């Protein structure tokens, strides 16, 4: 991996905390320069403190103009764009259909689809030409909820399956110039926000009880941390290592797809 990201330039959306923040730090550690589009002013300030190889841009990934601003500030600062990495996301705190009041359904649907799906489309649209010019790549953040039920409620599940559809289409549309792949994390202790429209004010995933629960459901029996996923992003962004790879998803979820029917893992 030594020279793979050296002097490459990436734009990470939602890089202010959790998985995106771990990706930003790992990319910088591998020699990349990284622009970051981040909604939170506090997290944007913390990103600035990472030094001259990070250009933090405060803005909303659901806005076309803010995506354009993030691209232009990244290219003005670092001269080019080689990779777009989308990490923005909201969860639905497992709101099952029965529990969502029908008068809130439309607003909740629009809130989660704007962040989890539309922002990925907008970032792709805005960055496509620069990536075609550089022969670059895109890495989307999917989820175990892009494959298997019960990782959220219907709103999160539908949004994460939609990103998988976007990935397959963009891998086709942008070939042969741009590789488009994804990473599908499993339950990871982060402060991921729930939906304002459903009054989900408290982040749910990082509580000790939830961490224990997330460990219990994966065959590798791991308490998965954001850093556990960065190898997959580094690999997919590194054209020396993955130049023949496009349209695929790396599942980084402790083996949820290998759960047994009678017990979770063979050795348990
Ligand atoms: N944590 C998990 O268990 C898990 C599992 C599977 C997939 N994921 C996915 O990983 C991605 C990252 O989630 P995370 O768990 O690291 O959460 P996180 O909240 O720590 O990271 C998301 C970042 O995006 C920022 N953000 C949110 N809305 C934004 C917007 N409109 N514009 C710009 N920035 C915005 C947040 O401020 C935050 O910094 C998401 O796509 C999520 O769906 C997470």
């Amino acid at each position: 991996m030594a020279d793979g990201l050296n002097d490459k330039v990436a734009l990470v959306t939602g890089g202010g905390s959790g998985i995106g923040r771990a990706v930003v730090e790992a990319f910088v550690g591998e020699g990349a320069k990284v622009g970051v589009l981040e909604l939170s002013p506090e997290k944007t300030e913390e990103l600035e403190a990472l030094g001259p190889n990070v250009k933090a841009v405060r803005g909303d990934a659901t806005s076309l103009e803010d995506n354009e601003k993030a691209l232009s500030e990244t290219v003005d600062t670092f001269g080019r764009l080689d990779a777009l990495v989308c990490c923005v996301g909201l969860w639905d705190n497992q709101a099952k259909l029965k529990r969502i009041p029908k008068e809130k359904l439309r607003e909740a649907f629009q809130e989660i689809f704007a962040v989890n799906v539309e922002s990925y489309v907008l970032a792709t649209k805005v960055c496509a030409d620069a990536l075609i010019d550089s022969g670059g790549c895109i890495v989307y953040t999917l989820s175990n909820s892009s494959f298997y039920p019960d990782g959220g409620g219907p709103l999160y599940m539908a949004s994460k399956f939609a990103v998988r559809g976007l990935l397959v289409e963009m891998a086709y549309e942008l070939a042969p110039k741009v590789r488009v792949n994804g990473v599908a994390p499993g339950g990871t202790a982060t402060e991921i926000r729930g939906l304002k429209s459903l009054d989900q004010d408290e982040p749910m995933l990082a509580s000790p009880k939830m961490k224990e629960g997330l460990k219990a459901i994966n065959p590798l029996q791991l308490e998965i941390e954001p850093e556990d996923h960065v190898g997959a992003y580094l690999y997919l962004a590194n054209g020396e290592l993955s130049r023949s790879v496009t349209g695929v998803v790396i599942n980084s979820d402790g083996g949820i797809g290998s759960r047994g029917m009678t017990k979770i893992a063979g050795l348990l």
Side-chain angles (χ1 to χ4, degrees), residues 155-178:
L155 302 181
Y156 186 72
M157 287 289 306
S159 74
K160 286 297 179 179
F161 262 74
V163 178
R164 199 169 146 203
L166 177 66
L167 184 159
V168 170
E169 178 61 16
M170 294 321 304
Y172 163 70
E173 288 191 24
L174 296 179
K177 293 287 187 188
V178 181

Side-chain angles (χ1 to χ4, degrees), residues 17 19 38-39 43 60-61 87-88 142 156 160 185 188 190 205:
S17 67
I19 296 165
E38 170 57 49
L39 186 63
K43 292 177 192 175
D60 186 340
C87 292
V88 170
L142 285 72
Y156 186 72
K160 286 297 179 179
T188 307
T190 71
L205 270 184

